[in-house]
Amino acid sequence: MKRTILTVLVTMLAAPAAADRWTCVVPYDEINGGGSLILEEDRLVFSSNWPHRDPEEAVCIAGAGKSECLSAHLSPTRNGGAAAMMKLFSVTRTHDGLPVSVTVREPNAIFRAEGDGYRMYRALPSAGYSFELTDCLAG
């Protein structure tokens, strides 16, 4: 009986570290407008409080102390080339898995059609910014 109670207690205490989903508040700032962030093992969704912004979704890889997430879009340009627009989210976590901050980088590139393929025409400067996460809840 004591062993069962101890096992249940240890499992309950370890639950936040093993959480598959975190929901956090993003405080207001001039870049994001504040909002909420949902972080799962393989997915991130950021929803801004600004009504004109659609939620941003990214695919993630979870590692020790960090989740790296990528959202990318490829669109045609008028001259037959393509524009690659990417957003990289690096989510820093505490030792027990709690997300604490996000660093965002936005590398973008323009490609020109050349023969049977494409050649990079211009790499655009990567905008970068960070924001803190608060009031994170597991589950």
Side-chain angles (χ1 to χ4, degrees), residues 52-97:
H52 67 280
R53 285 184 63 179
D54 292 330
E56 297 179 70
E57 188 168 339
V59 176
C60 300
I61 297 173
K66 191 171 272 200
S67 288
E68 297 291 343
C69 307
L70 172 69
S71 170
H73 303 281
L74 188 64
S75 56
T77 60
R78 285 183 284 213
N79 64 0
M85 311 306 249
M86 296 167 275
K87 204 167 210 180
L88 301 167
F89 298 87
S90 295
V91 182
T92 304
R93 298 167 170 260
T94 63
H95 68 282
D96 63 352

Side-chain angles (χ1 to χ4, degrees), residues 7-135:
T7 303
V8 170
L9 185 59
V10 168
T11 303
M12 287 173 50
L13 291 173
D20 288 347
R21 178 183 173 114
W22 290 92
T23 303
C24 303
V25 173
V26 177
Y28 178 84
D29 64 26
E30 295 298 322
I31 295 172
N32 298 298
S36 64
L37 182 121
I38 296 171
L39 181 64
E40 297 172 345
E41 183 176 333
D42 61 350
R43 184 175 84 113
L44 173 145
V45 178
F46 170 69
S47 298
S48 174
N49 287 338
W50 287 340
H52 67 280
R53 285 184 63 179
D54 292 330
E56 297 179 70
E57 188 168 339
V59 176
C60 300
I61 297 173
K66 191 171 272 200
S67 288
E68 297 291 343
C69 307
L70 172 69
S71 170
H73 303 281
L74 188 64
S75 56
T77 60
R78 285 183 284 213
N79 64 0
M85 311 306 249
M86 296 167 275
K87 204 167 210 180
L88 301 167
F89 298 87
S90 295
V91 182
T92 304
R93 298 167 170 260
T94 63
H95 68 282
D96 63 352
L98 175 71
V100 292
S101 67
V102 178
T103 299
V104 181
R105 295 173 313 283
E106 297 185 48
N108 300 301
I110 299 173
F111 297 87
R112 282 191 173 163
E114 185 174 283
D116 290 340
Y118 294 93
R119 179 177 61 82
M120 186 165 31
Y121 169 68
R122 179 176 294 151
L124 305 172
S126 178
Y129 53 91
S130 296
F131 54 88
E132 300 300 313
L133 299 172
T134 62
D135 304 321

